[in-house]
């Protein structure tokens, strides 16, 4: 390349950055444009050693049963083993070193779920056995640890400063191809992509969307800004084929940092609870309530003695903001509350009969309320119920006094629960022919190991059975 052509190339690169709009996150690190050719190489040279390959060997599983193995003559004739052989499923993913001194690595929960053995391979080809420090299925994050020296760690960026159009780089091990780097921009922020079909993905969703290529094996890898800081952990892709189509999702670094510190300290995440059951405010509901807004969360139920009740929140109130941050839907409210620790103080903006109000609440420990059988989400019960939320039958319900059961307070469109036929407002009176009257009983009868659910449901003035399997 001639010197003139090189200068033109650099000028075009700088012009491109200017046209797309540079922010603090997308500013060019010193030295990136040194020499004749602009390059990400100087930044990647420092950061690649912090992204690792994670190989997980799962717990042994029985081979599929074949009735021929039950025939003694068949076993003897073909010299078949007396016991069917076991298979050990293996998963390959990525991880990010966030504490070099202690060997802490952040990855996805779905990468290490059901792991019997975890091996970590570094960029310099050193290999170490890893142990699980803690996992949080609700955010699909996990922390593992290796005993190693001379590690490189990544610095957390402030993901709240990200803007659509910022340049990002994804690093991981797609399809086992170690240390693969792809680039793109932030395509969207605050994405909610719904409950996954297996009910095992993130319940608290605030994803960064990017067109940087993310493929199987990238899970748990790094999404970097141009300074080489961690802005997210690659987690999901939207694809019908399983390959990249330019729509990938990463967990924001601020959320990762919060969960990481709790997992290191407690081995789990301690979540705050407000104590409400709500639903998205639709234009139809807003019109019925005489409101001039169409975004927020309508409170359908307030738990007795909960922080919400003590703060004065009432049924039919519409929550519009928490600590000054706008609440557009129930997922926003769930994130705003569930990602805070018990004891956290929050300021809540709401509408009551069209009048603006502000209340203050101190969050309780989540288990203190859910343990009393007050509310739960379907994904925490059974994969077939993912996308639904359940609460107790209260005096305000038209069926109160007529039946005992658990109310379906919300069903996410397209979720497994919706596909199974559940609807918001349904009252479940029995599970597999056992009468229920509380959410805690629903937990016992519809747990994750229950493969078939026969639900008796009261819907309005009618009744029906739903067989879910």
């Amino acid at each position: 390349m001639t010197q003139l052509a090189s200068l033109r190339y650099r000028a075009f690169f700088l012009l491109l950055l200017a046209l797309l709009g540079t922010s603090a996150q997308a500013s060019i690190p010193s030295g990136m444009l040194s020499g004749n050719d602009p390059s990400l190489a100087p930044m990647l040279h420092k950061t690649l050693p912090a992204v690792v390959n994670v190989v997980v060997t799962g717990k042994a599983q029985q081979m599929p049963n074949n009735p021929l193995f039950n025939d003694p003559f068949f076993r003897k004739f073909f010299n078949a083993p007396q016991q069917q052989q076991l298979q050990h499923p293996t998963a390959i993913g990525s991880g990010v070193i966030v504490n070099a001194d202690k060997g802490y690595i952040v990855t996805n929960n779905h990468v290490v779920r059901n792991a019997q053995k975890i091996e970590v391979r570094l960029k310099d080809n050193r290999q170490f056995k890893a142990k699980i420090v803690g996992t949080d299925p609700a955010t699909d994050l996990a922390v593992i640890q290796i005993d190693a020296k001379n590690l490189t760690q990544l610095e957390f960026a402030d993901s709240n400063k990200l803007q659509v159009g910022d340049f990002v780089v994804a690093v991981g091990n797609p399809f086992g191809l170690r240390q693969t780097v792809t680039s793109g921009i932030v395509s969207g922020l605050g994405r909610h992509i719904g409950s996954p079909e297996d009910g095992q993905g993130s319940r608290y969703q605030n994803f960064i969307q990017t067109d940087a290529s993310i493929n199987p094996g990238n899970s748990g890898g790094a999404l970097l800004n141009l300074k080489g800081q961690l802005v997210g952990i690659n987690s999901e892709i939207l694809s019908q084929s399983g390959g990249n189509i330019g729509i990938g999702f990463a967990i924001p670094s601020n959320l990762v940092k919060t969960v990481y510190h709790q997992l290191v300290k407690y081995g789990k995440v301690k979540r705050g609870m407000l104590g409400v059951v709500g639903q998205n405010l639709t234009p139809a509901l807003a019109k019925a309530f005489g409101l001039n807004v169409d975004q927020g969360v309508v409170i359908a139920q307030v738990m007795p003695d909960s922080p919400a009740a003590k703060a004065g929140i009432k049924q039919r109130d519409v929550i519009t903001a928490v600590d000054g941050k706008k609440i557009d839907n129930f997922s926003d409210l769930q994130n705003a509350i569930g990602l805070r620790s018990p004891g956290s103080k929050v300021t809540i903006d709401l509408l009551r009969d069209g009048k603006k109000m502000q209340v203050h609440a101190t969050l309780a420990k989540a288990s203190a309320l859910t343990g009393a059988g007050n509310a739960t989400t379907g994904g925490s019960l059974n994969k077939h119920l993912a996308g639904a939320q359940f609460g107790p039958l209260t005096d305000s319900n038209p069926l109160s006094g007529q039946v005992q059961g658990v109310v379906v307070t919300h069903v996410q469109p397209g979720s497994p629960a919706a596909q199974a036929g559940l609807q918001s407002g349904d009252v479940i009176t029995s599970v597999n022919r056992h009468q229920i009257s509380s959410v805690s009983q629903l937990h016992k009868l519809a747990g994750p190991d229950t493969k078939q659910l026969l639900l008796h449901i009261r819907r309005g003035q009618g009744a029906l059975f739903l067989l879910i399997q």
Side-chain angles (χ1 to χ4, degrees), residues 19 175 252 274 352 363 373 426:
L19 289 174
F175 301 106
L274 183 60
R352 179 176 298 165
L363 303 182
D426 285 350

Side-chain angles (χ1 to χ4, degrees), residues 33 47 60 69 84 101 153 160 163 174 181 200 216 224 251 350 362 365 385 413 418:
L33 296 182
T47 57
F69 279 94
Q84 295 185 44
D101 293 334
Q153 71 182 48
N160 287 340
Q163 299 180 40
V181 179
Q200 298 287 347
L224 306 173
I251 304 169
L350 55 83
T362 301
K365 187 177 180 181
L385 300 178

